[in-house]
Amino acid sequence: MARAAVLGRLTWRVGTVRAVRDETPTARTLVLDVPGWPGHEAGQHVDVRLTAADGYTAVRSYSLANAPDADRVELTVQQVPDGEVSPYLTQALAVGDPLEIRGPVGGWFVWRPGQPEPVQLVAGGSGIVPLMAMVRAHGTSGGRAPMRLLYSVRDPASALYRAELADRAASDGGPEVTYAYTRAAPPGWPRTPGRIDADLLAAATWPPEAGPSCYVCGPTGFVERVADLLVAAGHEPTRIRTERFGPSGGSP
Amino acid sequence: MNTETPAHLDGNAAAGALREVFAVDLTTAAGRCENCGRTVVLAEARLYTRAPGLVGRCPGCEAVLFRVVRGPDRTWLDLRGLTCIEVSLPDA
């Protein structure tokens, strides 16, 4: 079991949008200044609360995208069609606006740079966000644990953080990154578009004998399929940690 | 994570609601399912959020482990399906 430090009462804080970055036509990153932010670990998330003029509130969870940082919080939000919260966060919220958040929360789906074993990340669509925090934490900590990322996306244009992942993959000790395209692959791509299967998993991920910790994040169906494939390949179920965000984000 | 209209999520998504009540991160705690006896890390419970509140179910047998309902100025917490919760508390 992960350590559970005794924490103070969780309260809402008002952050301020310092910058926004468009990641894809339907996803953007919010960079927030949050006074009193206690810091976080890679893989944790925050709750975001929106309050309407009539007092109606909506709370949603969003993974933290940046490496642990003492005073800055980054959330990458994928717009969900007909969503109640994400259209506001991806379209209306502007630099200088306030945003209520609380956290960080969740100590289970977390990678710590001190972990020595190989790391296998498997992302579906915007499930890349908490895994990107791990990739970034790995980079900033000079982590020695070897890391691989298998990233399933519909097509090249819907991949988040593509340029940064390429840079990190090219750097010394950086992660090995493999894309799996489900709908449309770049010209000349060697694999026919399709879902991750046992063959691709065997080719692009650590074998069970390497004893990796596996982190799988994406839509519910994706996560359950990949977790089943990992177990079938011989990975210890207890070494596989999963995070689902529901089916509505579209199949990656 | 992006929790718009999901079927079910992970217990991890209840971390905020539970941390309002408990001084520890309960999602890393291990709980025993009263129905099937399985030990479940609460982060791995199946969390349903379309109810008025949050309902965590056992990933093995789907029995209700816990329910959390947040109202104005109060929280209702029902732990009916958990016979025991083990929390890591290092002797600091």
Side-chain angles (χ1 to χ4, degrees):
Chain A
M1 185 170 10
R3 65 179 180 266
V6 176
L7 309 160
R9 189 185 165 195
L10 185 66
T11 53
W12 291 98
R13 302 170 192 271
V14 179
T16 304
V17 179
R18 182 205 286 181
V20 297
R21 274 199 312 268
D22 289 330
E23 303 284 357
T24 70
T26 56
R28 79 176 184 178
T29 295
L30 308 171
V31 182
L32 305 170
D33 285 323
V34 185
W37 180 249
H40 67 274
E41 295 186 293
Q44 289 192 293
H45 62 271
V46 296
D47 290 340
V48 172
R49 179 167 69 180
L50 301 185
T51 304
D54 64 359
Y56 171 78
T57 61
V59 177
R60 296 290 185 277
S61 294
Y62 288 98
S63 293
L64 289 148
N66 57 320
D69 190 307
D71 59 9
R72 194 172 49 99
V73 164
E74 292 189 16
L75 309 176
T76 302
V77 180
Q78 175 74 48
Q79 188 181 328
V80 177
D82 304 324
E84 198 174 49
V85 170
S86 64
Y88 176 78
L89 297 180
T90 53
Q91 292 174 18
L93 197 68
V95 171
D97 285 347
L99 185 67
E100 274 194 296
I101 72 168
R102 67 178 179 189
V105 289
W108 179 248
F109 193 79
V110 160
W111 178 75
R112 300 184 172 95
Q115 292 177 219
E117 75 281 2
V119 191
Q120 181 63 56
L121 311 175
V122 186
S126 54
I128 186 69
V129 178
L131 305 183
M132 192 64 187
M134 298 177 190
V135 168
R136 288 167 167 163
H138 183 259
T140 56
S141 68
R144 278 177 224 93
M147 180 176 271
R148 288 179 179 170
L149 166 65
L150 176 56
Y151 184 9
S152 173
V153 290
R154 287 179 177 216
D155 51 57
S158 57
L160 293 166
Y161 316 123
R162 177 179 285 280
E164 183 182 342
L165 281 171
D167 286 347
R168 291 189 179 276
S171 68
D172 196 27
E176 295 174 37
V177 179
T178 304
Y179 287 91
Y181 297 98
T182 59
R183 302 285 176 84
W189 194 255
R191 183 172 182 267
T192 306
R195 303 196 306 191
I196 291 175
D197 58 19
D199 288 344
L200 179 59
L201 205 72
T205 63
W206 295 107
E209 308 84 76
S213 284
C214 302
Y215 297 84
V216 185
C217 185
T220 300
F222 173 88
V223 167
E224 295 188 350
R225 199 167 61 244
V226 170
D228 287 347
L229 286 169
L230 287 168
V231 171
H235 290 271
E236 276 287 319
T238 55
R239 306 294 293 269
I240 302 167
R241 296 198 176 192
T242 58
E243 183 153 279
R244 301 161 175 83
F245 60 69
S248 60
S251 66
Chain B
M1 187 164 54
N2 186 341
T3 58
E4 302 273 13
T5 60
H8 72 78
L9 301 170
D10 299 306
N12 214 7
L18 292 169
R19 262 288 311 283
E20 283 198 300
V21 183
F22 294 93
V24 294
D25 172 19
L26 215 61
T27 60
T28 58
R32 181 178 293 274
C33 173
E34 184 195 29
N35 186 54
C36 71
R38 176 175 172 143
T39 297
V40 179
V41 175
L42 296 194
E44 298 188 316
R46 292 187 173 179
L47 190 75
Y48 293 82
T49 59
R50 283 178 178 168
L54 307 172
V55 178
R57 289 179 176 270
C58 175
C61 72
E62 286 282 325
V64 173
L65 299 174
F66 63 85
R67 301 187 300 175
V68 191
V69 177
R70 185 69 163 92
D73 298 324
R74 65 201 60 241
T75 283
W76 289 265
L77 180 61
D78 167 356
L79 296 172
R80 65 174 61 191
L82 291 164
T83 54
C84 177
I85 295 175
E86 176 190 342
V87 177
S88 170
L89 285 178
D91 297 323

